[in-house]
Amino acid sequence: MENEKAVTLQDIANRLNLSVVTISKALRNHPDISIKTTKLIKKVAEEMGYMPNIMARNLSSRKSNTLGLVVPKIAHHFFGAIIESIFDLAFQQNYETILTVSQENAEREKKHLLTLLSMKVDGIIISVTQETKDLSVFEMIERRGVPIVFIDRVPESAQNYNIVKVDDYNGAYKAIEHAYNLGYRKIAHFGGATNINIGRDRMNGFKDAMNNFGIEINPNWIFEGGYSENSGYEFFMKLYKENNLPELILAVTYPVALGIYMAAKEVGLEIPKDIDVICFGNAKVQSFLSPPLSCIDQPTDLISKNAIDLIMKKIDDEDNEIAPQQIVLDTSLVLRGTCIKKH
Amino acid sequence: MENEKAVTLQDIANRLNLSVVTISKALRNHPDISIKTTKLIKKVAEEMGYMPNIMARNLSSRKSNTLGLVVPKIAHHFFGAIIESIFDLAFQQNYETILTVSQENAEREKKHLLTLLSMKVDGIIISVTQETKDLSVFEMIERRGVPIVFIDRVPESAQNYNIVKVDDYNGAYKAIEHAYNLGYRKIAHFGGATNINIGRDRMNGFKDAMNNFGIEINPNWIFEGGYSENSGYEFFMKLYKENNLPELILAVTYPVALGIYMAAKEVGLEIPKDIDVICFGNAKVQSFLSPPLSCIDQPTDLISKNAIDLIMKKIDDEDNEIAPQQIVLDTSLVLRGTCIKKH
DNA sequence: TTGTAGGCGTTATCAC
DNA sequence: GTGATAACGCCTACAA
């Protein structure tokens, strides 16, 4: 069974007794070609089922109209929401987005980044893994002149790159302030790795708030671990076995909070009566958990919007005259069935 | 600020006084080149920071090592899980995956499909929108010799394509059988569009089970709508306003069930006491809903695994000698806090 | 074991 | 207004 061969500009040119160049120009609405010819060419191209070969086009034009997006995970609400809106916004501006998933693995991330470079994307938006420390790839990307924007997660030493993130420090601070007013004094923080900003800033906001309100920080209640359900589960179980549970846990992400829910259920402890929780990240489904989970909301749509705007600006700025920008968005406290009163 | 120019094979060749072909072959471990030369070339390439231009490579080799993936949504658990595992499996086989989101819009889907074709992907995996009826694009893709595999959702008239799906009919049947044994007789189905298999098969499984067990089907309790939270919410509200609520609702997806949770909460009805629910689709978080949501589990990992295996087989089968395959996977009932007893 | 020639499909440049 | 020519960076086939 023979496959149909793809129609090329040459085929159309042959049929019409015109040159390849004329066809190419006409299809791109180049003013060189008369309206009449353009119309004819477009009609014939349509008839013949012409489809541009994007590889060839990109190779020759040195422009791909493509964005690279690197995230640590897909199946987490936060990243799902970010990806969906970035794809949408890019599509509206006629950009294709190439998604790549690092699975929280720095080596894999680096490999993906190199692939994106090889694919000649016009810009890269990335949320790094929790292990990412080595900046050499990013420096190389910069040197190559490919704009890069960090969203949400930024390596500690990359604070002068283009960044769109959330005010994590204040988010944590506000949560602790709220808990303090509720009367909570025994508060734990299940935090993330502190080599990236979200872990560090949330930790700092937590600690500063604790200190400012004169609450003692119990080092056994501070964890610097991961962002996944497993982490939440394990930290909780550790404290439970030590018989050393706090009254309230500030979880660094929604999955961590879910891990806490799992663990508490398993050992027969009731939230929020026996142990209370609040977390970063606002998924719609949190309203339907038992109990509904309160959180520090991160505005995912705004993050995406700002990231796209920024990267487009950078792509247009061919001479690289615009200085890197750091955009910090506000969080807000969303109170539901947890962390609303002390038990 | 001048950008670093990308290193090409030519640059390496110049430096080593060898031909471009030798470099190209060495970097691809072609047996033509001696081990010694190959080693040297690789070392120098590394030093010079060489990165292949994938556009050029694909253009000349007519192979992209790239898969196209089209889904209707990202931020739904089912698709998130599918995407994550497909990306992972493809990556392990050295394939890049280009994801594209149709947003349940058939026109957009078609556009994406054409783009993927233009990008010369080696194969396409797709879960269609609920509106997709027109098969012409798929026929064209076939004619072009690009393998395509449908997962989960398949247009009615495409049943002889490559398909990996779930036994939706039996899933629905089993659920109704279970409900019948519990004593339920007033059962509604919030279904999907019936022009694609998942809506149709679940509906048929539902109806056949109802008939077989001698339960009367109330047409006012049958909806053929959508797969989103909105649908669940609206259908529920409609019945509520008519004061015509059933005892149990079989929801076509987890988001639809979530919509029902939202609506019930809003009007002060308690699940499962006042109204009971069961749905297709198993997200981990369903265990933590209030009440924990029972479901008909669809094995997402197995779907992805089978889809990748099938597409790879098709890609290798250049002469197109293997007949299209339809793979149907079993579902299982996962009982939690809903649909476990009649109230 | 290495190199030469030609082409993949498109676009940029400059001439007609 | 239209076209010839030369890239873009790489690969295949064949020659040396």
Side-chain angles (χ1 to χ4, degrees):
Chain A
M1 182 168 150
E2 207 42 52
N3 296 330
E4 216 166 79
K5 254 188 48 204
V7 179
T8 69
L9 292 182
Q10 185 67 60
D11 297 330
I12 305 178
N14 290 152
R15 168 99 98 90
L16 291 174
N17 269 325
L18 288 168
S19 80
V20 178
V21 184
T22 307
I23 312 296
S24 169
K25 284 183 178 166
L27 292 178
R28 285 176 293 141
N29 295 315
H30 200 292
D32 268 6
I33 313 299
S34 73
I35 299 191
K36 204 172 137 221
T37 320
T38 299
K39 261 200 178 144
L40 172 66
I41 292 178
K42 284 198 172 173
K43 187 167 140 271
V44 174
E46 170 85 41
E47 274 173 28
M48 297 177 71
Y50 170 77
M51 286 170 42
N53 181 326
I54 293 190
M55 302 291 165
R57 168 175 292 177
N58 293 348
L59 181 60
S60 155
S61 69
R62 269 168 237 66
K63 226 280 186 184
S64 67
N65 261 266
T66 295
L67 253 34
L69 175 59
V70 187
V71 296
K73 276 276 168 193
I74 294 182
H76 280 186
H77 167 267
F78 178 77
F79 291 113
I82 293 273
I83 297 168
E84 183 132 4
S85 49
I86 286 190
F87 266 66
D88 215 48
L89 293 167
F91 179 76
Q92 285 170 29
Q93 310 206 27
N94 252 302
Y95 269 73
E96 212 54 46
T97 308
I98 298 196
L99 174 66
T100 252
V101 189
S102 60
Q103 303 287 8
E104 295 285 14
N105 177 332
E107 210 173 319
R108 203 148 160 173
E109 178 176 80
K110 186 168 176 175
K111 202 172 160 192
H112 283 313
L113 250 6
L114 294 180
T115 304
L116 291 176
L117 238 34
S118 275
M119 296 177 95
K120 303 293 169 191
V121 295
D122 294 334
I124 294 177
I125 299 179
I126 183 172
S127 199
V128 299
T129 78
Q130 45 183 303
E131 328 174 327
T132 306
K133 285 170 199 151
D134 179 17
L135 288 195
S136 57
V137 213
F138 303 113
E139 288 161 0
M140 196 250 261
I141 294 173
E142 284 254 292
R143 261 181 281 127
R144 287 267 203 278
V146 178
I148 182 163
V149 172
F150 290 88
I151 53 174
D152 193 48
R153 298 177 174 197
V154 191
E156 186 176 15
S157 42
Q159 302 302 326
N160 53 339
Y161 280 72
N162 293 303
I163 296 172
V164 179
K165 63 176 182 179
V166 135
D167 191 343
D168 289 300
Y169 177 92
N170 264 309
Y173 195 100
K174 277 190 285 194
I176 298 305
E177 180 173 23
H178 169 74
Y180 174 81
N181 290 335
L182 253 30
Y184 278 115
R185 295 298 179 269
K186 295 174 157 188
I187 309 179
H189 179 32
F190 288 10
T194 48
N195 62 310
I196 48 176
N197 61 316
I198 64 168
R200 193 178 55 252
D201 292 351
R202 291 171 195 182
M203 182 62 79
N204 288 340
F206 169 80
K207 286 187 176 166
D208 285 1
M210 293 288 275
N211 287 330
N212 283 0
F213 295 110
I215 318 177
E216 192 192 346
I217 298 178
N218 181 339
N220 295 315
W221 287 343
I222 305 282
F223 290 85
E224 295 181 6
Y227 299 96
S228 68
E229 287 159 12
N230 277 348
S231 308
Y233 182 89
E234 280 161 22
F235 297 161
F236 184 98
M237 283 307 193
K238 180 160 182 297
L239 294 183
Y240 176 76
K241 278 175 196 146
E242 293 169 353
N243 199 10
N244 185 25
L245 245 19
E247 297 165 343
L248 170 71
I249 303 169
L250 170 62
V252 71
T253 62
Y254 160 54
V256 168
L258 221 47
I260 295 170
Y261 270 57
M262 285 171 69
K265 192 174 183 183
E266 194 172 310
V267 301
L269 253 33
E270 200 179 314
I271 301 172
K273 202 168 69 45
D274 303 322
I275 175 92
D276 208 344
V277 188
I278 187 166
C279 73
F280 275 85
N282 190 7
K284 204 185 276 177
V285 64
Q286 289 175 6
S287 307
F288 306 104
L289 294 180
S290 170
L293 175 57
S294 301
C295 67
I296 300 134
D297 178 48
Q298 304 157 278
T300 49
D301 283 351
L302 265 184
I303 296 178
S304 302
K305 180 77 173 65
N306 278 279
I308 287 280
D309 286 351
L310 188 48
I311 198 99
M312 293 302 178
K313 213 164 70 181
K314 283 291 177 176
I315 289 175
D316 290 339
D317 170 35
E318 288 178 15
D319 300 328
N320 197 10
E321 289 169 335
I322 308 178
Q325 270 180 48
Q326 289 85 39
I327 300 175
V328 181
L329 303 168
D330 265 345
T331 60
S332 53
L333 225 51
V334 177
L335 267 8
R336 295 195 264 245
T338 65
C339 202
I340 42 177
K341 75 172 208 212
K342 187 166 180 305
H343 298 266
Chain B
M1 180 167 150
E2 207 40 56
N3 296 329
E4 217 166 79
K5 252 186 50 205
V7 180
T8 70
L9 291 183
Q10 186 66 61
D11 297 330
I12 306 179
N14 290 151
R15 170 98 98 89
L16 290 173
N17 268 326
L18 288 168
S19 79
V20 177
V21 184
T22 307
I23 312 294
S24 168
K25 284 181 177 167
L27 291 178
R28 283 176 293 142
N29 295 314
H30 200 293
D32 269 5
I33 313 298
S34 73
I35 300 191
K36 206 174 133 217
T37 319
T38 300
K39 261 200 179 145
L40 172 67
I41 291 178
K42 284 199 173 172
K43 188 168 141 269
V44 174
E46 169 84 40
E47 276 173 25
M48 298 178 69
Y50 171 76
M51 288 170 44
N53 181 327
I54 294 190
M55 301 292 165
R57 169 176 291 176
N58 294 348
L59 181 60
S60 84
S61 70
R62 267 169 238 70
K63 226 276 183 187
S64 67
N65 263 267
T66 294
L67 254 36
L69 175 59
V70 188
V71 296
K73 276 274 168 194
I74 295 183
H76 280 187
H77 167 268
F78 178 77
F79 291 112
I82 293 270
I83 296 168
E84 182 131 6
S85 50
I86 286 189
F87 265 68
D88 215 46
L89 293 166
F91 179 75
Q92 284 169 30
Q93 309 206 30
N94 252 301
Y95 270 72
E96 212 55 45
T97 309
I98 299 195
L99 174 66
T100 254
V101 189
S102 61
Q103 302 287 9
E104 295 285 13
N105 177 331
E107 210 175 318
R108 204 148 158 173
E109 178 176 79
K110 185 166 179 177
K111 202 172 160 193
H112 283 313
L113 250 8
L114 294 180
T115 304
L116 290 176
L117 238 35
S118 275
M119 295 177 96
K120 303 295 172 188
V121 295
D122 294 332
I124 295 177
I125 299 178
I126 183 172
S127 199
V128 299
T129 78
Q130 46 183 303
E131 327 174 326
T132 306
K133 285 173 197 146
D134 178 18
L135 287 196
S136 58
V137 212
F138 303 113
E139 288 162 359
M140 196 250 262
I141 293 173
E142 285 253 293
R143 262 182 280 126
R144 287 268 203 277
V146 178
I148 183 163
V149 171
F150 290 88
I151 53 174
D152 193 50
R153 298 177 173 197
V154 190
E156 186 173 18
S157 42
Q159 301 302 325
N160 54 339
Y161 280 72
N162 294 302
I163 296 172
V164 179
K165 64 176 182 180
V166 135
D167 191 342
D168 288 301
Y169 178 92
N170 265 308
Y173 196 100
K174 279 191 287 194
I176 298 305
E177 180 174 22
H178 168 75
Y180 175 81
N181 291 333
L182 252 30
Y184 277 116
R185 296 297 178 270
K186 294 176 157 185
I187 309 178
H189 180 33
F190 287 10
T194 48
N195 62 310
I196 49 175
N197 61 315
I198 64 168
R200 193 179 57 252
D201 293 351
R202 291 171 194 182
M203 182 63 78
N204 288 340
F206 168 82
K207 285 187 176 166
D208 285 1
M210 294 287 276
N211 286 332
N212 283 1
F213 294 109
I215 319 177
E216 193 193 344
I217 297 178
N218 181 337
N220 294 317
W221 288 343
I222 305 281
F223 290 85
E224 297 180 6
Y227 299 97
S228 67
E229 288 158 12
N230 276 350
S231 308
Y233 181 89
E234 280 162 21
F235 296 160
F236 184 97
M237 283 308 195
K238 179 160 183 298
L239 294 183
Y240 176 77
K241 278 178 198 143
E242 293 168 355
N243 199 9
N244 184 26
L245 244 18
E247 296 164 343
L248 171 71
I249 303 169
L250 169 62
V252 72
T253 63
Y254 160 55
V256 168
L258 220 47
I260 296 171
Y261 271 56
M262 284 171 69
K265 191 174 183 182
E266 193 172 311
V267 301
L269 254 31
E270 199 179 314
I271 302 173
K273 203 170 66 49
D274 303 322
I275 175 92
D276 209 345
V277 187
I278 187 167
C279 73
F280 275 84
N282 189 8
K284 203 185 276 175
V285 65
Q286 289 174 7
S287 306
F288 305 104
L289 295 181
S290 171
L293 176 58
S294 301
C295 67
I296 300 136
D297 179 48
Q298 304 157 280
T300 49
D301 284 351
L302 266 183
I303 296 177
S304 302
K305 179 77 174 66
N306 278 280
I308 287 281
D309 286 351
L310 188 49
I311 198 100
M312 291 301 174
K313 212 162 73 182
K314 284 290 178 178
I315 290 175
D316 290 339
D317 171 36
E318 289 178 14
D319 301 329
N320 197 10
E321 290 169 333
I322 309 177
Q325 271 178 48
Q326 288 86 37
I327 300 175
V328 181
L329 303 168
D330 265 346
T331 60
S332 53
L333 226 52
V334 176
L335 265 11
R336 292 195 267 245
T338 64
C339 202
I340 43 176
K341 75 171 208 211
K342 187 168 179 304
H343 296 266

